[in-house]
Amino acid sequence: DPSWVRRTWVDVENPTVNLCLVCRWWKELAEATPQLWTTVILHSKPDRAAAMQLARLRRSVARCGSHPLDVTVSAYPLNRDTPSRCLPVNEVQDNMHLIRSLTLKVPRAEDAWEFLNYHPAGDHGAPLLEEFRLIITKETRNDPVFPRPNRRWDNILDPAPNLRAMTLPTSCLPRPSSPLLLHLTSLEIRNHPDDGGPYLPDILNILKAIPLLTLFKYSGPELYHYFDHENAPRVYMSQLTSADL
C-alpha cells in the first residue's frame, strides 16, 4: 500500500527493521532470528543522525547471537574542514571480535588514519575477520596534511587468523612483517593519484611476505618511475593465479 509507505518510516538499507513494523508477532519472530541481524550498513550524512547509526550497530550486536557480522561503513564529512566523526567507528572497532567482514569507505586519508590510530577497548583482536576493505573515495591536493597512522596500526586487527582478503590504500599499507599478511590469498592496493606513492620496493616487500597470495590487484598511477627497475629484486609467488595491474 503506497499510502502506508508514505506514513511509515521504512529502512531500505536494513530490511530486517521493516519486518519489525508489520505486527507484534513478526517483530518477535525477527528479533528472535539472529541470522537476520548479521548485516550492518552505516552511513554518515547530514540527514542521518549519529545516534541512529549507533543504535543500529548496537541492535545488531545484541541480536546476532553467535553469528558473525558483515559491516559496511560509508563516511561523508559534513563539510570540507570537518572529518567524518559522526559515525560510531570506534564502537565498530570495539566489536571487531564479532565481525566477519568490514568495509570502511571514507572520503579522505585523514578519516582512514583516524580509524587506524584508534586503540579499541579490550584485547580481542579480530578472530572471525575474513575480509577487510579500507577505501578512500575522494582526495584532493588542497586537503591539509595530517599525521599518518601509527606504523603498527595493524595491531588493531591482530590476531586475525582467518583474514584472507584485504583492500587498502597505499597510504595505509601494513608492515611487511605484519602477521596479517601470513594467510592472505587476495590483496588489492588502491593508489589515489594525489597519494604520492607507493615506491615499488614497498609493494615488492609486501608481496614477498604473502606466501599464499593467489589474487593481486593494483590500481592507480604507474609504479615504474618510482624505482630503478633494473635493480628491482625478484619476487617468486608460486600460488599466484591472477595479477591485475
Side-chain angles (χ1 to χ4, degrees), residues 29-162:
L29 182 61
E31 291 179 349
T33 307
Q35 296 93 325
L36 295 177
W37 302 93
T38 58
T39 299
V40 185
I41 301 175
L42 305 175
H43 289 271
S44 68
K45 290 184 178 180
D47 60 338
R48 299 174 188 268
M52 183 178 72
Q53 302 295 303
L54 190 59
R56 178 181 293 175
L57 174 62
R58 290 176 175 174
R59 183 171 56 227
S60 290
V61 169
R63 296 175 180 170
C64 69
S66 60
H67 298 271
L69 297 174
D70 299 308
V71 180
T72 299
V73 181
S74 297
Y76 303 82
L78 301 183
N79 60 63
R80 184 174 182 79
D81 300 319
T82 303
S84 313
R85 294 192 176 93
C86 52
L87 272 175
V89 290
N90 290 358
E91 187 142 345
V92 168
Q93 288 179 273
D94 290 339
N95 289 284
M96 282 302 302
H97 60 291
L98 303 175
I99 296 177
R100 172 175 54 193
S101 67
L102 174 60
T103 298
L104 178 62
K105 301 178 181 179
V106 296
R108 300 174 298 192
E110 174 198 359
D111 304 301
W113 301 337
E114 180 181 353
F115 176 85
L116 296 175
N117 278 324
Y118 174 73
H119 296 285
D123 191 21
H124 304 293
L128 304 179
L129 190 65
E130 298 176 4
E131 181 178 10
F132 177 57
R133 303 174 72 234
L134 177 57
I135 299 170
I136 298 176
T137 58
K138 183 178 181 180
E139 190 74 79
T140 64
R141 294 185 184 278
N142 294 326
D143 281 340
V145 177
F146 294 90
R148 297 210 171 199
N150 186 295
R151 180 69 174 168
R152 298 179 61 86
W153 68 260
D154 41 349
N155 285 354
I156 66 173
L157 302 179
D158 187 35
N162 293 304

Side-chain angles (χ1 to χ4, degrees), residues 97-242:
H97 60 291
L98 303 175
I99 296 177
R100 172 175 54 193
S101 67
L102 174 60
T103 298
L104 178 62
K105 301 178 181 179
V106 296
R108 300 174 298 192
E110 174 198 359
D111 304 301
W113 301 337
E114 180 181 353
F115 176 85
L116 296 175
N117 278 324
Y118 174 73
H119 296 285
D123 191 21
H124 304 293
L128 304 179
L129 190 65
E130 298 176 4
E131 181 178 10
F132 177 57
R133 303 174 72 234
L134 177 57
I135 299 170
I136 298 176
T137 58
K138 183 178 181 180
E139 190 74 79
T140 64
R141 294 185 184 278
N142 294 326
D143 281 340
V145 177
F146 294 90
R148 297 210 171 199
N150 186 295
R151 180 69 174 168
R152 298 179 61 86
W153 68 260
D154 41 349
N155 285 354
I156 66 173
L157 302 179
D158 187 35
N162 293 304
L163 185 61
R164 297 295 182 268
M166 281 204 299
T167 299
L168 296 171
T170 54
S171 57
C172 299
L173 295 179
R175 301 162 291 131
S177 60
S178 170
L180 299 181
L181 302 176
L182 291 177
H183 303 291
L184 280 187
T185 59
S186 175
L187 175 64
E188 179 179 354
I189 297 176
R190 297 188 176 190
N191 183 18
H192 192 277
D194 297 337
D195 201 19
Y199 290 99
L200 183 56
D202 297 334
I203 299 292
L204 295 178
N205 287 333
I206 289 177
L207 293 180
K208 287 192 295 184
I210 312 177
L212 302 178
L213 192 66
T214 59
L215 303 175
F216 173 65
K217 181 177 181 180
Y218 171 84
S219 59
E222 293 184 359
L223 291 168
Y224 301 109
H225 66 285
Y226 290 123
F227 188 64
D228 180 7
H229 60 273
E230 293 183 357
N231 297 317
R234 295 182 181 272
V235 178
Y236 297 95
M237 309 181 69
S238 60
Q239 304 296 320
L240 190 68
T241 60
S242 175

